[in-house]
Amino acid sequence: MAIDLLTQVLEALAYANGPILTAEIFPSESFTTVKSALDRLNSREMVFYKTIERDEAILTEEARGIAEHGSHEAKVFEAVRNAVEGLKVSDLPGIVGKESAKVGQGKALAGKWIKLDREKNILKANTDSIVDITREQLQNIGRTKTYPDTKVITDLKKRKLLKMQKAITFEVSKGPKYARAFVKEETDLTAEMLASGAWKNVKLKPYNFKSKGALTPSGALHPLNKVRHEFRQIFFEMGFEEMPTNRFVETGFWNFDALFVPQQHPARDLQDTFYISDPPRAEKPGPDPAAGKGDPGLDYEQYWNDIREVHEDGKFGSIGYRYPWKEEEALRLVLRTHTTSTSTYMLHKLAASPRPARYFSVDRVFRNETVDATHLAEFHQVEGVIADFGLTLGGLIGFMEVFFGKMGIHRLRFKPAYNPYTEPSMEIFGFHEGLNKWVEIGNSGMFRPEMLESMGLPKKMRVYGWGLSLERPTMIKYGVNNIRELLGHKVDLNFVESNAAVRLEKD
């Protein structure tokens, strides 16, 4: 900071009878420079200052021309007065210019400076002299940035001669320790000062124990991650195990066929699903290479054949879909459309050692959706499955009430629905207190025997499955109306950094 400005502030106060305005004394200095100087002087109690915000009127380029050369109407009057016999209306633009003729003629007529002979279409002067009020007003505004009559400001704004802008200035007054000279304070007590005794004569800067430290830049969790954390805590609290969901690319077999979704289903069309072109197809399902010795007790070839049969001719008490099942369609690679593909994989592994189990996942899925305020081509799915013996539909409804109750949603309704891989199936609706209406919050059902028995799971084992999006509860909790402001390149980083963690069971 330049010491010169500090001295100039102190000198200006010395010659003033009272407070000074920085906008008048230092018009060319930037806001930051002036404030830094005042903060430094204020910290020593040499000055006090307060911030004043005001609206300033700024002349446009046209207005600056009028202030220098005269208004359009004054130019028209001078041209008409100089024409002794009068001035034809058609000749006026050539003398004063098109813009001045267009605007000034009407203003000069309205002010009765000139008059129009309609028979001859000639303009004649109606007075010997005029006062160019518009020019005087603009000159005054150019100096003071304001005008006492607000009607004048409004009129000039309508004529697009003024534009308003916010301006900040400081009112500065003397403090209890005011002095005309600014003495630099030493911030460090050095060994040289102690050795020479110079410390006795220097002014040391006092410690400011109330000052705040600089903000340390840090990362911040995205709102989706905050809500995801809450979901994970609910699942862990209820005894669930998290499934590995690191495979964004799946085969049609795991994503559709193993879930008893027919190969002609609309969900498998190009307009709904993203297919991978390179490589064009995958190998048949087999043991996971990351599992080392593979998956003991699992016959993948038998699983493949059972899926084929249950689709083509029916099996395990089902008549199937009775269509020619194609191997190449099952081996096409897709960006997974749901995390149920991972649930299917985990349930198939469970068939090697059938037992009660609870799995969940929260991860990204992809669908060929038209992007709008509530839909994206990629979003996050929250999914849970429970495998056990003796499960019933009533048990699923009861569990849903407990699960959603932990999120603060206590009023639920269930509506029959259709899913290829669950029967019975239910859509879940919750009452939204803020919107004062019922909204769909999830889908659920019991996995079909065609899906479970093909895996090798016992005939008496039942599996609940349900899912919902992560984005919808996040948008509700954080008051976001457009999903593109939550996920994607339009996300405001200030929004990410400033929002606190969320508790789903609290408003």
Side-chain angles (χ1 to χ4, degrees):
M1 182 189 306
I3 298 296
D4 288 346
L5 185 57
L6 300 174
T7 305
Q8 289 173 32
V9 172
L10 297 174
E11 286 291 329
L13 284 170
Y15 291 107
N17 294 325
I20 61 172
L21 293 176
T22 56
E24 296 176 358
I25 307 298
F26 312 110
S28 60
E29 297 290 348
S30 69
F31 168 85
T32 305
T33 304
V34 172
K35 189 174 187 309
S36 298
L38 295 179
D39 284 338
R40 190 167 179 183
L41 293 171
N42 180 254
S43 67
R44 297 193 187 187
E45 297 184 4
M46 297 180 74
V47 303
F48 293 137
Y49 74 91
K50 63 180 180 180
T51 304
I52 299 175
E53 281 192 28
R54 64 178 183 179
D55 290 323
E56 286 190 347
I58 306 299
L59 301 185
T60 63
E61 184 177 350
E62 180 184 355
R64 289 194 295 271
I66 291 174
E68 185 175 353
H69 303 294
S71 65
H72 299 303
E73 52 267 35
K75 291 178 181 178
V76 169
F77 172 76
E78 289 298 329
V80 173
R81 188 180 65 172
N82 292 335
V84 179
E85 301 297 328
L87 182 66
K88 289 184 178 180
V89 174
S90 57
D91 294 338
L92 184 61
I95 299 173
V96 299
K98 290 183 179 180
E99 185 66 22
S100 292
K102 178 182 176 182
V103 177
Q105 180 179 325
K107 291 283 183 181
L109 287 169
K112 297 183 179 180
W113 295 354
I114 60 174
K115 59 185 178 180
L116 174 63
D117 185 340
R118 296 186 180 277
E119 292 183 2
K120 298 179 180 180
N121 205 25
I122 290 177
L123 296 169
K124 293 183 178 181
N126 206 30
T127 183
D128 294 330
S129 62
I130 61 166
V131 177
D132 194 348
I133 299 174
T134 302
R135 182 182 188 184
E136 292 179 354
Q137 290 170 343
L138 291 176
Q139 287 175 339
N140 190 351
I141 292 170
R143 291 190 300 269
T144 63
K145 303 291 190 290
T146 187
Y147 199 79
D149 190 345
T150 56
K151 290 182 179 180
V152 172
I153 295 288
T154 303
D155 180 60
L156 293 174
K157 282 170 62 179
K158 287 180 180 179
R159 294 178 62 181
K160 297 183 179 180
L161 297 176
L162 295 182
K163 57 183 179 181
M164 305 303 292
Q165 70 177 25
K166 289 284 184 182
I168 298 176
T169 187
F170 302 102
E171 185 182 274
V172 187
S173 57
K174 296 177 180 178
K177 297 183 180 179
Y178 169 79
R180 291 184 66 171
F182 180 82
V183 180
K184 183 181 177 182
E185 294 175 331
E186 296 292 340
T187 56
D188 295 309
L189 184 62
T190 64
E192 290 78 8
M193 289 181 185
L194 293 172
S196 65
W199 63 272
K200 297 177 183 179
N201 301 317
V202 299
K203 186 174 180 63
L204 294 172
K205 185 176 182 180
Y207 281 105
N208 183 0
F209 293 102
K210 295 181 180 179
S211 66
K212 296 180 180 179
L215 291 176
T216 304
S218 62
L221 285 176
H222 191 283
L224 283 172
N225 278 335
K226 296 172 186 176
V227 177
R228 178 178 180 271
H229 173 76
E230 283 297 304
F231 271 113
R232 293 180 77 242
Q233 293 305 112
I234 290 172
F235 278 115
F236 288 137
E237 182 182 306
M238 301 181 77
F240 281 74
E241 174 188 345
E242 190 166 15
M243 296 183 283
T245 55
N246 56 343
R247 295 192 302 194
F248 286 176
V249 177
E250 287 282 9
T251 61
F253 178 84
W254 288 112
N255 199 77
F256 297 118
D257 295 275
L259 275 71
F260 199 51
V261 178
Q263 294 184 341
Q264 299 84 5
H265 195 279
R268 301 178 76 151
D269 291 342
L270 283 172
Q271 60 263 33
D272 293 309
T273 301
F274 291 110
Y275 283 92
I276 305 299
S277 59
D278 186 17
R281 56 179 286 167
E283 297 178 355
K284 287 184 178 181
D288 187 352
K293 297 182 180 179
D295 305 309
L298 294 177
D299 187 343
Y300 284 92
E301 187 63 31
Q302 182 62 44
Y303 186 32
W304 174 270
N305 292 330
D306 284 344
I307 292 295
R308 177 196 297 273
E309 290 181 39
V310 81
H311 277 257
E312 284 190 336
D313 305 311
K315 200 173 183 180
F316 310 114
S318 169
I319 63 173
Y321 290 116
R322 290 171 290 180
Y323 71 94
W325 188 80
K326 296 180 181 179
E327 177 179 311
E328 57 270 21
E329 183 67 24
L331 296 179
R332 291 181 72 184
L333 289 168
V334 301
L335 287 177
R336 67 180 180 206
T337 60
H338 47 198
T339 51
T340 315
S341 58
T342 303
S343 302
T344 306
Y345 180 77
M346 294 297 294
L347 289 172
H348 179 239
K349 291 184 69 174
L350 185 66
S353 177
R355 65 192 184 281
R358 295 185 172 198
Y359 299 122
F360 83 92
S361 64
V362 186
D363 212 338
R364 191 169 296 192
V365 297
F366 309 86
R367 294 182 189 171
N368 197 356
E369 299 267 12
T370 300
V371 176
D372 58 26
T374 56
H375 296 86
L376 289 177
E378 53 181 297
F379 58 96
H380 295 79
Q381 182 175 330
V382 181
E383 179 160 335
V385 294
I386 298 177
D388 207 341
F389 298 93
L391 298 180
T392 64
L393 182 64
L396 173 60
I397 292 175
F399 183 84
M400 290 295 96
E401 290 174 342
V402 174
F403 178 78
F404 284 101
K406 289 182 176 291
M407 302 178 205
I409 304 173
H410 300 286
R411 297 174 63 184
L412 296 179
R413 285 180 178 174
F414 301 90
K415 175 184 174 182
Y418 168 76
N419 287 313
Y421 45 90
T422 57
E423 180 61 38
S425 307
M426 301 182 299
E427 291 177 348
I428 308 168
F429 291 82
F431 188 78
H432 191 292
E433 300 290 346
L435 299 176
N436 196 32
K437 67 176 184 178
W438 294 90
V439 296
E440 184 180 353
I441 56 175
N443 212 320
S444 65
M446 300 182 70
F447 287 131
R448 295 178 65 108
E450 294 95 333
M451 175 182 165
L452 301 179
E453 292 185 41
S454 297
M455 298 174 179
L457 289 170
K459 191 176 185 68
K460 294 185 178 180
M461 178 167 272
R462 301 287 183 266
V463 179
Y464 296 152
W466 73 95
L468 63 151
S469 78
L470 181 64
E471 280 75 7
R472 177 166 290 182
T474 305
M475 291 173 70
I476 292 173
K477 285 295 178 181
Y478 284 98
V480 177
N481 296 320
N482 191 328
I483 193 172
R484 289 169 289 194
E485 296 174 3
L486 185 67
L487 186 65
H489 66 283
K490 292 186 177 181
V491 174
D492 183 357
L493 293 181
N494 290 326
F495 165 74
V496 174
E497 293 171 356
S498 62
N499 276 291
V502 67
R503 295 295 299 274
L504 292 178
E505 74 275 18
K506 294 183 180 180
D507 293 329

